[in-house]
Amino acid sequence: MADACLFCRIARKEIPATLVAETDECVAFRDINPEAPVHILVIPRDHIPSASAVKDAAVVGKMTQLAAELAKREGIAESGYRLVMNTNADAGQTVFHLHMHLLGGRRMAWPPG
Ligand code: 5GP
Ligand code: ZN
């Protein structure tokens, strides 16, 4: 439900977060529990519960473009970064408002755990 959704509330600035970028379509803020030196969440302003519920493909394109721009700004574009969308239980999705994790600033293992 968008009214009570944590990330909708962050996008509406009802709940504080360290915002790093805002566009007409997206908001980006630092993850409260960073798993890497750079850990930013990029979300659409619209409430979309997960990747499974994406109807407008352009939304994901905008999120990816913003993440790439932020990677440059954070100085990790060359060293490398990971974009992740955890989807549903097995992937560990805990917040059901679509979000892209931008992770970087350290070497990451593959495959993920
Ligand atoms: P998921 O596990 O759903 O892929 O990712 C949710 C992410 O949201 C987690 O990395 C978690 O640390 C982050 N998170 C949860 N609550 C908050 C919050 O209130 N503020 C911020 N900035 N990040 C949050
Ligand atoms: Zn939401």
Side-chain angles (χ1 to χ4, degrees):
M1 230 255 293
D3 270 3
C5 167
L6 175 63
F7 286 178
C8 281
R9 297 193 69 193
I10 286 177
R12 290 197 299 262
K13 299 187 182 155
E14 292 171 8
I15 292 177
T18 307
L19 297 182
V20 293
E22 287 193 81
T23 67
D24 287 349
E25 296 91 358
C26 301
V27 176
F29 51 94
R30 296 203 189 272
D31 197 292
I32 205 166
N33 182 26
E35 300 289 359
V38 175
H39 189 172
I40 290 169
L41 300 172
V42 178
I43 67 168
R45 289 187 186 275
D46 290 341
H47 182 79
I48 302 167
S50 77
S52 301
V54 170
K55 292 191 178 79
D56 177 8
V59 169
V60 179
K62 297 277 184 188
M63 291 167 71
T64 304
Q65 274 182 332
L66 181 55
E69 225 173 275
L70 291 172
K72 259 188 225 155
R73 199 196 294 172
E74 296 283 324
I76 56 169
E78 291 299 319
S79 51
Y81 57 92
R82 189 169 288 173
L83 302 179
V84 176
M85 278 184 186
N86 293 322
T87 305
N88 291 340
D90 273 2
Q93 185 178 3
T94 58
V95 178
F96 286 82
H97 178 125
L98 183 64
H99 51 280
M100 180 178 277
H101 295 258
L102 163 61
L103 294 149
R106 68 168 169 82
R107 189 80 184 200
M108 275 171 275
W110 189 263

